[in-house]
Amino acid sequence: RDMEPLLGSPTSAGMKRKSPFGWWPLRSEVFPENPQDGGCDEALIIANVVAGVVIGVRQGLSAIMTASLIFNTAGDPELSDMFGFGITMMWYSSAVSALWYGLFGRLQYGLIGINDVVGILWGTLGAQVARALKDEPERIPATQLAVIMVSTLLTGACSIGFGKLGLGKLMLLFPAPVTSGFLGSIGFFIVKSALQMCSGVKFQYLWPVDFAAFFAAQSLGRLACMCGMLIVMWYAPALLKKAFPKSDAVKKLGGLLCQLLPLAFFYAGTSSLGISMHTLTETGWTYPKQGGSGPLALWTTYDLRDADWALVFEHLPNMGLIVLMSVLCTMTGVLGISAKFPASPPGDPSPGETVDYDRELMTT
């Protein structure tokens, strides 16, 4: 039977209608139908809600990491003070992006989230902004925010333009070795940033500037804690699946559990040892406490009139790399999802439909 649309009426049975920015949503995608009686499949709806909660927790953790890459890697105090604001910005951005793609996207297994590669590039631009405005530190936060805003608008405009012009598939012709090499260099940057933020010691390339501070007890303790968490996240999910091979809960939630358990163990251990949050902050084990803020804080905390717009426009050529990597990550993400999940989930109106890369680019 025809699938009832959430917005408008379908032009043909079982097909999604294209919109100016993607596809119009269908009721069957949000409320999967039971093939036996044509009603809503309540069990599948509950499963989708649980999956959404799990993904939301993962995205929340990813947003914190990305905010850290953007505002903490430069080691500038003015940018570091923006960390709390950055977390809020990443959370709201993730929520709006996920809602947008959930409504107007095509891939049923697709999800729009924060891109760590773009976060690293923003962090690099932030370091350049901090160096250029070292004599006017009060202008650094607004200028960095302006850089993020302009590069985001530029990325959106270029993505829509590429999609409208049918250039989406051409992005897939970008040489794979070049893309892999660039992503490999990003991996080195992530390792450097992790070691720098964890130890509290600035790095030059892949070695610390101050070896004595790097090998201090507090620094080594934080590094050992980081390595321990990585080991748990890397090996524990496989061990759980091996121990409980028939458990669906372990298969679905084991990875998330292994990400959250080290955090619980950390605070349980520090609490049992009588170590206060103030002490953890003072010794660099946790970030400084940030004040609470609402959605309007994104628009009122900083004034773009304080930004150095000449410096922002000076970085326009560098923003081209952000546009390029955003488009490439979108295309490779579409390829990866369609290859990993060739069979569409229940509720997909046309599971055999060929992926439209140009329209995916416009939607994201």
Side-chain angles (χ1 to χ4, degrees):
R1 71 196 195 104
D2 293 351
M3 297 191 178
E4 181 183 352
L6 289 176
L7 299 173
S9 301
T11 56
S12 61
M15 294 295 292
K16 293 194 67 166
R17 286 201 320 166
K18 293 180 179 179
S19 72
F21 33 76
W23 292 265
W24 294 114
L26 293 174
R27 176 183 173 83
S28 63
E29 296 175 308
V30 182
F31 304 103
E33 297 178 350
N34 189 325
Q36 297 179 352
D37 56 14
C40 291
D41 191 331
E42 296 181 359
L44 194 53
I45 291 175
I46 294 174
N48 287 344
V49 170
V50 173
V53 172
V54 172
I55 293 173
V57 173
R58 287 182 181 273
Q59 289 296 99
L61 296 174
S62 178
I64 295 174
M65 183 187 71
T66 304
S68 183
L69 289 173
I70 297 172
F71 298 107
N72 288 328
T73 53
D76 181 81
E78 296 292 333
L79 290 176
S80 297
D81 288 343
M82 297 180 70
F83 180 55
F85 171 87
I87 293 176
T88 302
M89 182 175 68
M90 293 298 107
W91 278 344
Y92 282 117
S93 299
S94 297
V96 172
S97 300
L99 178 62
W100 177 270
Y101 193 83
L103 287 174
F104 304 113
R106 176 65 186 87
L107 296 178
Q108 298 296 296
Y109 287 114
L111 175 67
I112 301 300
I114 302 300
N115 192 307
D116 295 336
V117 176
V118 175
I120 290 172
L121 295 176
W122 275 336
T124 302
L125 290 179
Q128 296 175 9
V129 167
R131 286 194 295 268
L133 296 177
K134 61 181 179 180
D135 296 328
E136 299 178 283
E138 69 280 358
R139 304 187 71 181
I140 292 176
T143 304
Q144 171 68 343
L145 188 60
V147 167
I148 294 174
M149 181 191 73
V150 172
S151 60
T152 301
L153 292 174
L154 187 61
T155 299
C158 290
S159 296
I160 294 174
F162 291 158
K164 287 289 187 181
L165 294 174
L167 300 178
K169 291 181 286 295
L170 295 181
M171 296 296 107
L172 300 176
L173 300 179
F174 200 86
V178 176
T179 305
S180 300
F182 182 81
L183 293 177
S185 66
I186 292 294
F188 278 107
F189 187 90
I190 291 177
V191 172
K192 170 195 167 184
S193 300
L195 293 174
Q196 180 174 284
M197 288 186 290
C198 191
S199 65
V201 180
K202 288 188 176 182
F203 270 59
Q204 183 176 8
Y205 304 108
L206 284 179
W207 54 83
V209 174
D210 188 343
F211 279 91
F214 182 77
F215 288 105
Q218 287 287 349
S219 173
L220 291 178
R222 293 193 294 267
L223 288 169
C225 184
M226 179 188 73
C227 292
M229 182 173 182
L230 287 174
I231 291 172
V232 171
M233 292 172 61
W234 187 266
Y235 292 105
L239 293 176
L240 280 176
K241 290 180 181 179
K242 188 176 181 180
F244 305 96
K246 298 182 179 180
S247 174
D248 291 334
V250 169
K251 291 179 182 179
K252 295 177 181 179
L253 303 176
L256 177 64
L257 184 64
C258 292
Q259 290 184 30
L260 297 178
L261 273 181
L263 185 66
F265 289 152
F266 174 80
Y267 283 110
T270 54
S271 177
S272 62
L273 294 174
I275 303 175
S276 65
M277 288 297 300
H278 177 74
T279 302
L280 291 174
T281 301
E282 289 293 320
T283 54
W285 284 81
T286 61
Y287 293 111
K289 185 177 180 181
Q290 306 288 333
S293 60
L296 292 180
L298 292 174
W299 313 101
T300 59
T301 301
Y302 301 105
D303 192 340
L304 291 176
R305 290 175 295 183
D306 296 331
D308 187 333
W309 285 99
L311 182 60
V312 173
F313 293 124
E314 184 181 323
H315 282 294
L316 278 177
N318 296 330
M319 296 179 192
L321 183 58
I322 294 178
V323 174
L324 177 62
M325 290 311 302
S326 297
V327 172
L328 285 176
C329 288
T330 298
M331 293 295 96
T332 54
V334 172
L335 280 174
I337 292 172
S338 57
K340 188 173 182 179
F341 301 102
S344 299
D348 193 326
S350 48
E353 184 180 6
T354 303
V355 176
D356 188 336
Y357 293 101
D358 295 320
R359 191 158 289 274
E360 286 291 335
L361 197 56
M362 291 166 52
T363 306
T364 54

